[in-house]
Amino acid sequence: MSGEQTVFRLSELAELGALALRRQVNDLFSLLELPSVWQGREPREIAESGLDLLVSLLRLDVALLRIEGPEGGLERRYPAELDGEALLSVSRAASPDSPAHFELPRPNSIGRTSLRVVSASLLGEPGTVVVGSWRENFPTVHERHLLQTIANQAALAMQSSREARARHTLAKERARLERVNSALAMLHSALDGLSRTHTVTQVAEVVLSRGLAALEARAGSLYLVDELGAELHLVQAVGYPETLVRGYRRIPVEVALPIGEAFRLKRGVYGCLEHPTTPEPGRPRASFRGYAAAPLMVDKRCLGVLCLSFAEPRPFGEDERAFIQAIAQQAAQACDRARLLEAERCARLMAEARQRRAELLSEASALFGSSLDVGAALTRVAHLLVPRFADWTVLRVVEHSPSGADETKTVCVHRDESQAERARELARELLPAEGEPRPSVSIHAVVAPISARGRVLGAIVLGLGEPGLYNADSLEFVEELGLRAGVALDNARLYQEAREADRRKDEFLAMLGHELRNPLAPMVTALQLMSMKAGGSLERERTIIWRQVEHLMRLVDDLLDVSRITRGKIQLKRERIELLAVLSKAAEMASPLFEQRSHYLELPRAGEPLFVDGDPARLAQVMANLLNNAAKYTDPGGRIVVTATGEGEQAVLRVRDNGAGISPDVLPRIFDMFVQEGRSIDRSQGGLGLGLAIVRSLVELHGGTVSACSEGLGRGSEFVVRLPLATPYAPAKDEHRSHPPAVSTQDLASALRLLVVDDNRDAAELLTELLDAKGYVTRVVFDGLAGLEAARTFQPHIALLDVGLPVMDGYELASRLRQDPSLPGLKLVAITGYGQDSDARRAHAAGFDVHMVKPIDPSQLLRVLRELVEHAEEQPQVGVQ
């Protein structure tokens, strides 16, 4: 309207002023109502209301309210599509006295696009209010005042709202904390009570008493699942009618009830029964409206369910649910602990019972094994069982007597001796009249057979005065006792049989040796006499006979050696020896067989000596057996090579032949007794298959090993003996002194009188003839009484006595000769076919000076006589006439 002037009348101006004043007053009254209008509202609502008020009071085209409060960024715009960031950017250059200009993206309702924009800060709030209008006089003083006042009132209202909300939140939190503290106190009380529980019943009492009081429940129950996981069993119920409890003592886990749902889902189930109904036919109706069922969980395992019932429905807030679940969790752990304690207690009791039973079994086994007297062992075991395991016991066994008849032994022991016969009667009632006893257990007795190797030997009956204490474990114990008793009795029987068999075997071997040696003795003597008389005639025949006699002698010696070895009767006479010297002696022993078969024997050359600690006679026997074995199984003209070397701490002897070899199936058993490979049909050089068994036993007695190897039949074999080396022996100086010259046997013979006593006339006469030929003065008799009389009249220096004499045996004869004062210096030589160690000990005990086994080598006999003469010369009190 350029060029035009607006003229107002005075009355109009007054009216306009009054109108503006009334509007300002109304605006101020509106501001005064803001605190009451905004009281209790949320900051978001206050921001929206304040922005709306500014728009309406100031007739704004744009408005923006932005606050960065504790609840986060809060922004309100008018109009909604306003570019807030552009408006804020413009408002930063504006002030209440100097508005900035903001261009709208499109004209407003009256076609304006340019706006005057001012901003105001919020009192105590990190934010700003930006408003704008197209009016030229915007903002007036009044509008600036309204803008700031509304902004401040909105800020104060927001602060007041936050404070009120904080107070409300604080009050709610305080109430919650009070409830939590109360719940914690009750939970602590429950935990304190649960910590002193030892059984699931005690756990149920504590949980239900504390839980019902804490939650103001009307009733409650605790269920635990059975071992099969099929049913929930009631542990305890509180507050329910007895008729209701009787119907719910056992509940299938699949039941359509909250308790079943809680168990299956493994989570709490809460709710109310608007119309309680009977879930299953025959079960009583429940009168409770609210319920809670919490599973008892331990390591993802559900042990059972805690159930609470309320008279009225209730919402079950989070705190209540957490409290119920906490109670259920603690109840689950307490139940699990109680179950473990109960299991531990039962296991401990079972372990103690087993330990007691094991100790009883051990003591009983020791008693059974301590004596071969079956009756005494049974009596001691019966007294062991009563009263530790029974009030009375009866043990009955059947024994085979030496006559072959069965004998029944019965032992009865009662705590009260006067009731022993009553116990015997009870045992008769429990044991079958005929047939074998069967294992059985009743409320007052246990029966088990005594058996061994599938054979029933008797029975054990144990009884108690108070029934009901025996069980399956008791039966197992008594059965084991019966087995051990059976084994002990069977072992005693076997031991007796073995002793009897061993005694008979010893007697047989002794008799066998005696009977075999008796005919050999005159044969050896006869051969010696034939050699002395006939000169070179019949040499071949004598050689054949001598070879066969030696073979028989070797067989007898092998038999007796095996007997000694198996009974552990071999005693080594150890000394430090040089192995090559022993090998030379063995080669000499085996030379007849080598010469007969024209074998070539290669012995190791003399070199560094190999010393071992051993019995020279036994080691020579070992080597001779190996050489004889090689000679026997090598074709005539064969080659046997022997090497002896030191390897580390061992002396190693190898005997290698190019003979028949050993088949692979025989090789692992080559050192077993009576094992021979059928390599020679006529077995002219065979034996009893004992040589290599003796070799292994003697080598092992020396701490060594022997092994055999062969590439197969026809490819020879090799035997290897390994013995521990000993340090070389340094002889003392006096060992090199020269010995006095030996006394001539021929010189002494003519001065010695020899008495020969033997019931074998051939052996006695031939031996006498041999001794006469050597110059001795002899007399021969054929029984013990005649020998005693001849000794008194003949006064011999040496008596050669056969042990197996008729009427008076050689042992008695020797004893009586020793007791005769007229024969003070008499030397006694036992000449017998009994070659056991016990025979030698018995001979020396009877007074013999020397024990010689038939057949006697004449040269050995002459050497013994010479030694006895030399010994007599060293002891003048004996004298030689």
Side-chain angles (χ1 to χ4, degrees), residues 228-453:
L228 299 177
E231 285 186 334
L232 294 167
H233 292 187
L234 178 65
V235 178
Q236 191 171 32
V238 176
Y240 296 105
E242 182 60 28
T243 55
L244 185 66
V245 172
R246 283 199 299 267
Y248 288 91
R249 291 194 180 277
R250 291 188 176 186
I251 301 176
V253 296
E254 300 298 332
V255 69
L257 289 174
I259 180 174
E261 184 179 355
F263 179 83
R264 294 191 300 272
L265 299 179
K266 297 182 180 180
R267 61 176 175 80
V269 177
Y270 308 90
C272 61
L273 299 172
E274 295 297 338
H275 302 287
T277 58
T278 302
E280 291 186 9
R283 294 191 184 273
R285 185 189 303 272
S287 61
F288 303 96
R289 305 298 297 276
Y291 64 84
L296 307 181
M297 300 296 298
V298 173
D299 297 332
K300 298 183 180 180
R301 292 183 298 114
C302 187
L303 305 182
V305 180
L306 171 65
C307 299
L308 299 174
S309 298
F310 302 86
E312 299 297 333
R314 58 192 304 160
F316 294 108
E318 291 297 326
D319 292 343
E320 281 189 323
R321 295 190 181 200
F323 178 75
I324 294 172
Q325 191 57 49
I327 286 285
Q329 182 70 23
Q330 296 303 320
Q333 294 179 2
C335 286
D336 192 47
R337 184 175 64 252
R339 281 184 169 182
L340 291 176
L341 288 173
E342 179 64 19
E344 181 183 359
R345 186 184 70 83
C346 293
R348 184 174 62 254
L349 292 176
M350 292 176 63
E352 291 174 355
R354 288 195 181 98
Q355 180 65 26
R356 289 194 298 270
R357 291 195 291 269
E359 291 172 356
L360 275 174
L361 287 173
S362 178
E363 293 181 47
S365 297
L367 291 175
F368 280 128
S370 64
S371 174
L372 296 175
D373 186 341
V374 175
L378 290 176
T379 302
R380 287 197 291 268
V381 171
H383 283 287
L384 175 69
L385 296 173
V386 176
R388 290 172 62 178
F389 194 75
D391 292 328
W392 59 269
T393 182
V394 173
L395 288 83
R396 187 180 71 184
V397 297
V398 178
E399 277 194 311
H400 293 289
S401 64
S403 62
D406 289 342
E407 295 181 357
T408 301
K409 292 186 177 181
T410 303
V411 176
C412 178
V413 175
H414 198 287
R415 185 194 295 266
D416 183 357
E417 294 182 2
S418 63
Q419 298 294 319
E421 191 57 35
R422 173 59 181 160
R424 196 184 298 270
E425 292 296 329
L426 289 173
R428 288 197 191 100
E429 295 175 3
L430 293 171
L431 292 173
E434 296 180 357
E436 299 177 352
R438 301 272 182 178
S440 63
V441 59
S442 63
I443 60 174
H444 65 275
V446 185
V447 179
I450 297 175
S451 60
R453 296 191 293 176

Side-chain angles (χ1 to χ4, degrees), residues 471-548:
N471 52 25
D473 289 339
S474 306
L475 178 60
E476 181 182 354
F477 162 71
V478 179
E479 285 184 304
E480 179 63 24
L481 183 63
L483 290 174
R484 297 196 182 195
V487 170
L489 297 177
D490 192 51
N491 287 342
R493 180 182 61 80
L494 292 175
Y495 179 74
Q496 293 290 356
E497 292 177 357
R499 286 188 60 183
E500 180 65 20
D502 189 59
R503 184 187 64 79
R504 292 177 179 175
K505 182 196 70 175
D506 289 345
E507 290 179 354
F508 169 75
L509 288 176
M511 185 60 66
L512 177 65
H514 181 269
E515 294 302 321
L516 288 176
R517 281 170 170 159
N518 270 340
L520 288 174
M523 294 171 64
V524 172
T525 307
L527 285 171
Q528 186 70 18
L529 288 172
M530 290 171 64
S531 177
M532 294 170 58
K533 294 178 180 180
S537 63
L538 301 177
E539 179 67 23
R540 181 173 177 274
E541 291 79 0
R542 289 199 308 274
T543 301
I544 293 173
I545 296 173
W546 177 249
R547 187 164 55 246
Q548 298 306 318

